């Protein structure tokens, strides 16, 4: 049973389109995240939700909108896709509380914008 | 502005050798320093972590050395194996809901 699962794993789309990536965790964690890994492998946090409440919102364009229908799910919707959005997007989760340490990552969703 | 600086970018080590990856940080509020290992096509996975109240932590062949005054920490992989070939990320966080700042990654290649 996959702990943090993301769909789709690969996404190829044209500039200007809108796309969504879904994430689910079955670890019972309260906190979920979206990270972006660019072509140079640099990992940067985008958003974090704690029990459905947005707690971290880094400097991310408004075209990116996270949604957490419940604490086990965190989806990412991207409007008006641009070439620079091409990256691998990782969902992650962690146990409740401040700075408890470990992040559990999904396998990533590779987005290619043509 | 990168909060955690990592070096080298890539590293080639012979099987059985020692791999050393270094990281430096500026923010003294950081209080948790994990290392993550990422294989191609997979998400990063926690390898080992340290808090600033200790100077060293060892788990099997993996050791973190932590120098609080220099604001540096490093990962040592003893008896490196080809299966250790992966990208390694250091990270730091400071108590606010696990907001991690990652280093830029080191691609390790252990040659047989």
């Amino acid at each position: 049973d996959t702990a943090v699962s993301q769909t789709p794993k690969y996404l190829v789309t044209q500039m200007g389109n809108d796309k969504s990536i879904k994430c689910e965790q079955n670890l019972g964690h309260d906190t979920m995240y979206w990270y972006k890994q660019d072509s140079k492998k640099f990992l940067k946090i985008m958003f974090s939700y704690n029990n459905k409440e947005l707690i971290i919102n880094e400097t991310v364009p408004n075209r990116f909108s996270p949604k957490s229908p419940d604490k086990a799910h965190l989806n990412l919707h991207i409007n008006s896709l641009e070439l620079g959005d091409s990256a691998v997007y990782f969902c992650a989760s962690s146990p409740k509380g401040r700075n408890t340490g470990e992040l559990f990552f999904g396998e990533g969703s590779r987005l290619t914008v043509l | 502005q990168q909060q955690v600086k990592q070096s080298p970018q890539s590293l080639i080590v012979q099987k059985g050798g020692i791999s050393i990856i270094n990281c430096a940080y500026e923010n003294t509020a950081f209080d948790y320093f994990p290392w993550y290992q990422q294989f191609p096509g997979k998400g990063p996975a926690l390898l080992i972590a340290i808090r600033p109240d200790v100077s060293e932590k060892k788990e099997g062949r993996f050791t973190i050395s932590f120098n609080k005054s220099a604001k540096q920490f490093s990962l040592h992989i003893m008896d490196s194996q080809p299966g250790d070939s992966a990208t390694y990320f250091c990270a730091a966080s400071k108590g606010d809901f696990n907001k991690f700042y990652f280093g830029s990654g080191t691609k390790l290649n252990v040659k047989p």
Side-chain angles (χ1 to χ4, degrees):
Chain A
D1 234 8
T2 307
V4 180
S5 57
Q6 302 178 223
T7 54
K9 195 168 170 123
Y10 299 98
L11 199 49
V12 180
T13 189
Q14 300 286 333
M15 261 188 353
N17 284 351
D18 304 339
K19 289 293 175 189
S20 292
I21 306 171
K22 295 186 175 183
C23 179
E24 176 182 2
Q25 55 96 3
N26 62 6
L27 298 166
H29 290 164
D30 285 282
T31 311
M32 295 185 71
Y33 310 78
W34 280 110
Y35 277 82
K36 179 180 179 181
Q37 187 171 49
D38 62 23
S39 58
K40 295 183 178 177
K41 298 284 194 186
F42 189 58
L43 268 166
K44 191 167 190 297
I45 190 166
M46 300 173 68
F47 301 103
S48 177
Y49 272 74
N50 186 61
N51 202 9
K52 300 194 297 174
E53 180 187 348
L54 180 66
I55 53 170
I56 295 173
N57 184 350
E58 290 297 282
T59 311
V60 177
N62 289 342
R63 300 182 293 103
F64 290 78
S65 52
K67 276 208 172 67
S68 183
D70 56 62
K71 74 175 192 177
H73 295 85
L74 180 62
N75 303 323
L76 183 66
H77 187 76
I78 315 169
N79 289 329
S80 305
L81 279 156
E82 300 177 358
L83 293 176
D85 297 332
S86 296
V88 181
Y89 292 85
F90 285 99
C91 177
S93 71
S94 67
K96 181 181 179 178
R98 292 165 63 89
N99 214 23
T100 51
E102 186 172 2
L103 288 176
F104 293 78
F105 283 89
E107 295 204 333
S109 297
R110 181 177 291 277
L111 171 65
T112 303
V113 182
L114 302 174
Chain B
Q1 174 191 352
Q2 205 166 333
Q3 300 260 1
V4 179
K5 294 183 179 171
Q6 183 173 347
S7 62
Q9 191 174 6
S10 62
L11 185 59
I12 299 174
V13 172
Q14 289 295 126
K15 180 182 172 183
I18 302 173
S19 303
I20 302 174
I21 305 170
N22 300 301
C23 284
Y25 64 97
E26 284 300 322
N27 192 335
T28 55
F30 287 143
D31 60 1
Y32 182 76
F33 301 88
W35 284 90
Y36 280 80
Q37 180 187 54
Q38 185 180 24
F39 293 105
K42 301 293 184 184
L46 180 67
L47 186 63
I48 186 172
I50 198 167
R51 295 197 186 269
D53 51 346
V54 297
S55 60
E56 187 175 281
K57 183 171 181 182
K58 186 174 179 178
E59 287 183 3
R61 296 184 294 108
F62 301 91
T63 300
I64 299 179
S65 296
F66 187 82
N67 186 330
K68 191 173 181 178
S69 59
K71 292 186 282 186
Q72 294 175 347
F73 58 110
S74 58
L75 176 70
H76 296 236
I77 306 174
M78 311 301 286
D79 186 26
S80 298
Q81 299 296 313
D84 296 332
S85 297
T87 300
Y88 292 81
F89 293 93
C90 61
S93 67
K94 56 181 171 76
D96 43 358
F97 291 100
N98 295 314
K99 181 177 176 180
F100 284 75
Y101 297 89
F102 281 85
S104 51
T106 296
K107 188 170 182 180
L108 172 64
N109 184 4
V110 181
K111 292 201 172 290

